[in-house]
Amino acid sequence: MANNLSFFSIQADDLDRARRFYEGVFQWRFEPWGPPGFYLIHTGTPEAPGVLGALQKRRDPVTGTGMIGFECTISVGDIDGTIKSIEQHGGKIAMAKFQIPTVGTGCYFNDTEGNFAGAMQYEEGQP
């Protein structure tokens, strides 16, 4: 059995603000599910479903002690356009655009809730 990532969760202080960010930057779709303040995230299309995720209210505020959790990277078709969109939707670039030879060009960012993630425009033949 493969040990592929099958689900992820984004913690947010302001759910509406976080939804607008991910809808605007990555065109993800959100579906209310379960308890109040919990949404399923659909990252793909019906033909290519992507990874299922969740958006939920942060249980404990970020304490400034450093990142705790998994670092996720989102595959994008246009890194320059994605960087512009991140900033237009209230996110902040945490690490400027960089290239990894034979892999692709990426950046790291903080979303509107302070969560840290990456975006990568992969080279042909990469994930």
Side-chain angles (χ1 to χ4, degrees):
M1 178 177 164
N3 294 305
N4 296 327
L5 178 67
S6 62
F7 192 82
F8 68 96
S9 181
I10 299 171
Q11 308 292 312
D13 296 316
D14 185 325
L15 295 171
D16 291 334
R17 179 177 61 198
R19 275 185 67 178
R20 285 191 304 272
F21 177 82
Y22 286 99
E23 286 170 337
V25 176
F26 301 110
Q27 293 76 52
W28 290 353
R29 297 175 331 279
F30 292 79
E31 172 188 353
W33 189 85
F38 187 93
Y39 296 88
L40 287 178
I41 301 172
H42 301 277
T43 62
T45 63
E47 299 79 29
V51 176
L52 188 63
L55 173 67
Q56 58 192 7
K57 189 79 170 159
R58 189 182 317 276
R59 291 182 193 89
D60 296 315
V62 174
T63 62
T65 59
M67 189 177 97
I68 299 173
F70 288 169
E71 175 186 308
C72 295
T73 299
I74 301 161
S75 177
V76 300
D78 174 11
I79 192 64
D80 292 320
T82 299
I83 289 169
K84 184 183 287 187
S85 188
I86 287 167
E87 293 173 330
Q88 288 173 340
H89 288 89
K92 295 185 178 17
I93 301 302
M95 183 177 186
K97 185 170 75 170
F98 59 87
Q99 181 173 32
I100 301 174
T102 74
V103 175
T105 305
C107 73
Y108 288 104
F109 66 92
N110 292 103
D111 70 7
T112 56
E113 307 310 298
N115 296 309
F116 183 84
M120 177 71 68
Q121 180 179 340
Y122 288 99
E123 290 186 10
E124 189 72 32
Q126 294 302 317

